[in-house]
Amino acid sequence: MLIALGIATAVFLGLLLVRQLVCSRLGKIAERTATGVDDFVVALARRSRPLLLAILSLYAGSFYLTLPPGQTRTFEAVATVALYLQLALWVSVGIDFWLARQRQRLEQDATSVALGGVLRFVSKLILWSVLLLMALDNLGVDVTALIAGLGIGGVAVALALQNVLGDLLASLSIVLDKPFVIGDTITVDDLTGKVEHIGMKTTRLRAVGGEQLILANGELLKSRIRNWARLAERRVVLKFGVLSQTPAGTVERIPGLVREIVERQNLTRFERAHFKGFGASSLDFEVVYWILTPDYNAFMDRQQAVNLGLMRAFEREGIGFASPTQTLVLERKREARPKTSG
């Protein structure tokens, strides 16, 4: 008995010594190196739980004892569960380490943070579920019947939580397909905001008015999304009309005037300007040009400059803008003259 206890104590102290050496000495070396292997080993050592190591040490010492079959099976079951728990902790460290390395590699993509959170949750859920089933199997529980029961219960839960599961799958679709990322400004139907967070169930936007918009991921993917952050340039369609009494020669010069005004601005590209047709009380023109930046303030500044330039040019040329008018004609009926007898 004393020999077995001594062996268990020696094994336990040896494991604690190795753990302490790795955490202290190798930890200092890991802080000065750029490789990730030593960091991973140090993280494994720090997640080695003394209680679990003690159980495994006692099991090692029990080999030198002659125990009844029932106690032997109990020792084996407890030691196996402790070993599974420790392995699960180490695998969890590996998952966290891998996801951290992926975030560092994809640090320019803010959506990888959300993807990492989803993958971390799903992978650890699978890990601990498998661990629970293995532990129960070693404790003598009929896992086959349990798995069958969990399967039937899982179907029922899936039906009850289909909206939640739909949002979860939608979140995976968002972070993998990337119709937008964190920091993009998007429009969903008639709502516009900047993406602040992509969660497992909802996506949160900061609206232009300052309030927070919370949208379910499933409903979000069913909507038409406009991603303004992926604009390279903005198109402007300018429509106006001049007085219908404007001479033909003046009308012919207007497209050239507009082109000169547009090309005078920086960050603009002229496309076309045409006398489009005859309105009810105007001669209608249509102009198309591009603002060569996605910035909305610059977009509005260039439009304002073009509009003011057009007003000044028309003042110099004596051209008047047309506005919708209606002419009301009043006609007074003549009074009937009495007939005179011949």
Side-chain angles (χ1 to χ4, degrees), residues 56-129:
L56 294 175
S57 300
L58 289 174
Y59 179 66
S62 68
F63 283 110
Y64 289 86
L65 296 175
T66 303
L67 299 173
Q71 294 183 4
T72 301
R73 287 194 297 270
T74 301
F75 261 108
E76 290 179 352
V78 173
T80 302
V81 172
L83 178 61
Y84 285 160
L85 284 173
Q86 187 57 68
L87 289 175
L89 291 173
W90 286 340
V91 174
S92 180
V93 169
I95 293 172
D96 292 337
F97 184 79
W98 181 79
L99 290 175
R101 300 287 289 185
Q102 294 301 312
R103 282 198 297 269
Q104 291 177 0
R105 186 173 63 88
L106 302 173
E107 59 182 358
Q108 301 299 325
D109 183 5
T111 311
S112 62
V113 178
L115 176 61
V118 174
L119 291 178
R120 185 174 184 271
F121 173 79
V122 173
S123 58
K124 289 195 174 183
L125 178 63
I126 295 174
L127 170 66
W128 288 102
S129 298

Side-chain angles (χ1 to χ4, degrees), residues 113 166 254 275 300 317:
V113 178
I254 289 177
F275 170 35
M300 294 303 298
E317 297 290 332

Side-chain angles (χ1 to χ4, degrees), residues 2-313:
L2 292 177
I3 295 176
L5 184 59
I7 292 174
T9 303
V11 172
F12 179 61
L13 293 177
L15 292 175
L16 286 183
L17 179 61
V18 172
R19 179 179 181 272
Q20 183 63 29
L21 289 175
V22 172
C23 291
S24 60
R25 296 190 178 182
L26 187 59
K28 294 179 180 179
I29 297 174
E31 293 176 355
R32 299 192 298 266
T33 60
T35 59
V37 177
D38 46 8
D39 295 325
F40 179 62
V41 174
V42 172
L44 290 178
R46 288 174 177 168
R47 292 297 295 272
S48 299
R49 296 291 182 249
L51 177 61
L52 300 178
L53 296 179
I55 294 174
L56 294 175
S57 300
L58 289 174
Y59 179 66
S62 68
F63 283 110
Y64 289 86
L65 296 175
T66 303
L67 299 173
Q71 294 183 4
T72 301
R73 287 194 297 270
T74 301
F75 261 108
E76 290 179 352
V78 173
T80 302
V81 172
L83 178 61
Y84 285 160
L85 284 173
Q86 187 57 68
L87 289 175
L89 291 173
W90 286 340
V91 174
S92 180
V93 169
I95 293 172
D96 292 337
F97 184 79
W98 181 79
L99 290 175
R101 300 287 289 185
Q102 294 301 312
R103 282 198 297 269
Q104 291 177 0
R105 186 173 63 88
L106 302 173
E107 59 182 358
Q108 301 299 325
D109 183 5
T111 311
S112 62
V113 178
L115 176 61
V118 174
L119 291 178
R120 185 174 184 271
F121 173 79
V122 173
S123 58
K124 289 195 174 183
L125 178 63
I126 295 174
L127 170 66
W128 288 102
S129 298
V130 172
L131 168 68
L132 177 62
L133 292 175
M134 294 175 66
L136 291 174
D137 182 59
N138 280 276
L139 293 175
V141 178
D142 187 2
V143 180
T144 304
L146 180 61
I147 293 176
L150 289 176
I152 297 173
V155 173
V157 171
L159 292 175
L161 301 178
Q162 55 183 333
N163 291 333
V164 177
L165 295 176
D167 289 332
L168 176 60
L169 294 176
S171 71
L172 289 174
S173 177
I174 289 172
V175 296
L176 292 175
D177 191 48
K178 298 180 182 178
F180 53 83
V181 298
I182 296 174
D184 286 357
T185 299
I186 64 174
T187 296
V188 182
D189 296 331
D190 58 344
L191 303 174
T192 299
K194 185 176 183 180
V195 180
E196 287 188 337
H197 175 74
I198 301 173
M200 289 185 291
K201 179 170 173 52
T202 62
T203 293
R204 301 169 196 169
L205 311 179
R206 182 64 59 181
V208 293
E211 70 274 17
Q212 189 179 65
L213 303 174
I214 302 175
L215 306 175
N217 290 327
E219 296 298 325
L220 183 62
L221 288 186
K222 294 178 184 177
S223 305
R224 290 182 174 88
I225 301 173
R226 295 185 179 183
N227 192 335
W228 301 106
R230 296 181 184 176
L231 276 174
E233 51 189 18
R234 293 177 181 264
R235 185 173 184 259
V236 181
V237 179
L238 174 63
K239 298 180 180 180
F240 62 90
V242 299
L243 298 174
S244 56
Q245 296 84 8
T246 305
T250 304
V251 171
E252 190 176 7
R253 293 202 312 273
I254 289 177
L257 288 174
V258 177
R259 177 168 190 162
E260 181 182 349
I261 293 167
V262 172
E263 292 179 343
R264 195 183 304 154
Q265 312 300 322
N266 63 335
L267 297 177
T268 58
R269 184 179 73 249
F270 179 82
E271 182 173 313
R272 62 180 177 83
H274 292 96
F275 170 35
K276 184 180 179 181
F278 299 92
S281 58
S282 63
L283 304 177
D284 297 332
F285 286 81
E286 184 175 270
V287 180
V288 177
Y289 62 95
W290 293 82
I291 309 297
L292 306 181
T293 175
D295 183 70
Y296 188 75
N297 288 331
F299 168 69
M300 294 303 298
D301 288 342
R302 298 312 183 278
Q303 280 197 84
Q304 176 177 269
V306 170
N307 293 340
L308 289 174
L310 190 60
M311 291 180 65
R312 294 190 182 101

